[in-house]
Amino acid sequence: MTLATYDFAYGNGRKTFQYDSDDVLKVVRTEPFEVMQNVHEHVLEALYHPIGLPPVNEIVKPGDTVAFICNDPTRIANSEIFMPILVNEMNKLGVPDENMKIVFALGTHRAMTPEEMEKEVSPEVARRIKMYNSIATNKDDFEYFGTTSLGTPVWINKELCHVDHIFLTGTIVHHYFSGYGGGRKAILPGCAAMETVRMNHSHMLSEKAGLGRMEGNPCYDDQMEGVALFAKGRSLFLFNAILNAKHEFLKIFAGDYIKAHKEACKFVDEVYGCEIPKEADLVIASCGGYPKDINVYQMQKTMDNAACAVRKGGVVILLAECIEGSGSAKLEETFRRLRTPEAIKKELEDNFQIGANKAFAITRPLGKARFILVTALNRDLAKSMHFTAAVDTVEEALKIAHEYLGDHPSTIMMPEGSLTVPRVAPEHNCSCKCGR
């Protein structure tokens, strides 16, 4: 036995534990790409040498109006670093502060507080620029742009509808049913009405919806069609960053919201993809700490990534503090009322509801492996969600895992679980839904 010490992020702190390194097949991490040294310089380079569009000074003219779409706190984008640069550059191009606004792409998440808004974009920008929450349930805040071929009515926040230019900012990681984040998602679902999000997300039930899948994925295709309906005659400019696990800038992709995004996704695969020799008996994964483990709603994304690394019938130990509980009253109600995965899926097929869809998303990886949580989550709530156990320490979780797997299970470590997407080496078969 060769004991090694492992140190994983957990909420705003860490969990340290010892494990037999002889049993570890792989430690899955993001690839060690060079960190961007001069962010200001790279932001300007991206603006003036964009992909698929003319330089920003040929697009934005003096007196124009501009809306920036920014992430909410559940998705770290380092907006507080690049937003002052973007705003000041607009000033240089003749766009005064009063001609700019920021719309936070909440999707179906809760409204941000003024303090959270300021933190996301910097005190300087918050003091100078008008800011708005896109709250999906405020029906009067949206304008209609038609219906997609899959039946999604396209309602987009009106704060984006009457400006000369829209900058779609944020970051890109793999997404468990839309393929990839970033790009068009800033608008749909980010700044779309609840019914738009509900109808689009209903396609997550499709077998073609999954990690790393774009064309042919009904969720992705529907989002692209919906944004295209909105984009007619409009100036959209993508500004997406790729970060490492320490939230440091690696690259910035800017320009046409389709072409630049596709180029960025290739880089995402390089940074966050990781080859493993085989699916392991046991996966020990951390969401990466706060805010990726702020609640079950966010934690679930790591479940899908971990499921790509575990064999059928194996065990996943997931470190996720969940300091804000489930993150969705609807999610909790669905699990209390519907006791089996089959019942949850059947109800969603008949009447798809946001919140309830996360119940389905949780039960899908549970169909492959047992999940043991190291968490602050209420124990009764964890049990109602079909988790095998919820405990305080990794040591407790390992004791339970060994009851199912024996003393020396083949193991994969995932300290950056919300980011990394394992893929089995080509000579092996992968039974996950990563589509990679």
Side-chain angles (χ1 to χ4, degrees), residues 215-244:
E215 286 82 359
N217 175 341
C219 289
Y220 173 84
D221 290 341
D222 191 56
Q223 289 166 359
M224 292 298 290
E225 186 180 349
V227 173
L229 289 173
F230 167 75
K232 288 178 182 177
R234 285 183 165 78
S235 169
L236 271 58
F237 194 103
L238 183 72
F239 185 91
N240 277 168
I242 313 298
L243 309 178
N244 64 17

Side-chain angles (χ1 to χ4, degrees), residues 155-167:
W155 292 88
I156 304 300
N157 193 285
K158 64 185 180 183
E159 297 297 340
L160 303 176
C161 298
H162 305 285
V163 293
D164 296 311
H165 311 285
I166 304 168
F167 282 74

Side-chain angles (χ1 to χ4, degrees), residues 10-67:
Y10 177 83
N12 286 309
R14 315 288 298 182
K15 289 282 189 182
T16 302
F17 60 97
Q18 290 191 314
Y19 197 78
D20 187 351
S21 61
D22 294 338
D23 294 336
V24 178
L25 299 175
K26 182 99 175 186
V27 178
V28 175
R29 292 188 180 276
T30 51
E31 291 298 313
F33 284 85
E34 184 178 352
V35 173
M36 194 179 290
Q37 297 301 316
N38 188 329
V39 176
H40 189 279
E41 181 180 292
H42 284 277
V43 169
L44 296 184
E45 173 69 18
L47 291 176
Y48 288 94
H49 297 89
I51 298 169
L53 284 179
V56 70
N57 60 313
E58 295 181 17
I59 297 173
V60 178
K61 300 301 179 184
D64 282 353
T65 54
V66 171

Side-chain angles (χ1 to χ4, degrees), residues 2 6 12 44 50 58 93 112 116 138-139 157 254 275 313 329 356 358 363 408-409 422 435-436:
T2 307
Y6 295 87
N12 286 309
L44 296 184
E58 295 181 17
L93 295 175
M112 294 169 64
E116 288 172 327
N138 290 356
K139 295 182 180 180
N157 193 285
E275 193 171 277
K358 276 287 183 176
T363 60
H408 293 282
R436 303 286 311 289

Side-chain angles (χ1 to χ4, degrees), residues 259-290:
K259 295 177 182 178
H261 183 256
K262 287 185 176 180
E263 286 301 309
C265 289
K266 295 176 185 177
F267 185 63
V268 167
D269 285 342
E270 294 181 42
V271 177
Y272 302 140
C274 186
E275 193 171 277
I276 57 176
K278 66 176 183 177
E279 294 176 333
D281 300 322
L282 173 66
V283 172
I284 305 177
S286 164
C287 297
Y290 183 92

Side-chain angles (χ1 to χ4, degrees), residues 55-333:
V56 70
N57 60 313
E58 295 181 17
I59 297 173
V60 178
K61 300 301 179 184
D64 282 353
T65 54
V66 171
F68 296 99
I69 302 176
C70 290
N71 283 13
D72 77 355
T74 65
R75 291 169 173 81
I76 294 174
N78 292 350
S79 307
E80 76 282 2
I81 297 174
F82 63 71
M83 279 304 297
I85 304 171
L86 294 180
V87 167
N88 289 336
E89 201 60 28
M90 292 301 107
N91 288 163
K92 292 177 184 177
L93 295 175
V95 180
D97 288 354
E98 58 267 25
N99 282 21
M100 290 184 265
K101 67 176 76 171
I102 295 168
V103 181
F104 288 99
L106 304 182
T108 61
H109 300 166
R110 65 166 176 81
M112 294 169 64
T113 65
E115 293 76 19
E116 288 172 327
M117 291 178 171
E118 177 182 293
K119 185 177 180 181
E120 285 301 308
V121 299
S122 81
E124 175 196 350
V125 169
R127 185 174 63 251
R128 293 166 51 189
I129 307 299
K130 298 184 293 290
M131 300 184 295
Y132 301 88
N133 278 314
S134 181
I135 302 173
T137 52
N138 290 356
K139 295 182 180 180
D140 292 342
D141 288 352
F142 298 87
E143 295 186 17
Y144 177 69
F145 290 90
T147 300
T148 69
S149 57
L150 290 179
T152 299
V154 180
W155 292 88
I156 304 300
N157 193 285
K158 64 185 180 183
E159 297 297 340
L160 303 176
C161 298
H162 305 285
V163 293
D164 296 311
H165 311 285
I166 304 168
F167 282 74
L168 289 67
T169 81
T171 52
I172 306 175
V173 295
H174 293 95
H175 189 273
Y176 72 104
F177 66 79
S178 293
Y180 298 84
R184 80 288 169 205
K185 282 185 95 260
I187 296 173
L188 198 172
C191 294
M194 180 63 78
E195 183 61 12
T196 303
V197 180
R198 187 185 75 83
M199 286 298 295
N200 172 258
H201 284 16
S202 70
H203 301 295
M204 69 178 287
L205 300 174
S206 168
E207 289 297 315
K208 297 179 180 179
L211 283 163
R213 296 177 178 177
M214 291 198 284
E215 286 82 359
N217 175 341
C219 289
Y220 173 84
D221 290 341
D222 191 56
Q223 289 166 359
M224 292 298 290
E225 186 180 349
V227 173
L229 289 173
F230 167 75
K232 288 178 182 177
R234 285 183 165 78
S235 169
L236 271 58
F237 194 103
L238 183 72
F239 185 91
N240 277 168
I242 313 298
L243 309 178
N244 64 17
K246 295 180 181 178
H247 308 148
E248 298 166 316
F249 287 97
L250 299 179
K251 278 190 179 182
I252 294 172
F253 291 82
D256 179 85
Y257 80 95
I258 300 174
K259 295 177 182 178
H261 183 256
K262 287 185 176 180
E263 286 301 309
C265 289
K266 295 176 185 177
F267 185 63
V268 167
D269 285 342
E270 294 181 42
V271 177
Y272 302 140
C274 186
E275 193 171 277
I276 57 176
K278 66 176 183 177
E279 294 176 333
D281 300 322
L282 173 66
V283 172
I284 305 177
S286 164
C287 297
Y290 183 92
K292 297 300 182 182
D293 67 353
I294 190 172
N295 55 36
V296 175
Y297 215 87
Q298 294 304 317
M299 174 196 80
Q300 177 274 322
K301 299 166 187 176
T302 302
M303 292 179 65
D304 272 79
N305 291 351
C308 288
V310 70
R311 68 166 172 82
K312 180 76 173 177
V315 173
V316 174
I317 294 174
L318 182 55
L319 282 67
E321 185 179 34
C322 298
I323 195 68
E324 291 190 3
S326 73
S328 168
K330 182 65 176 177
L331 170 65
E332 294 184 27
E333 184 273 335

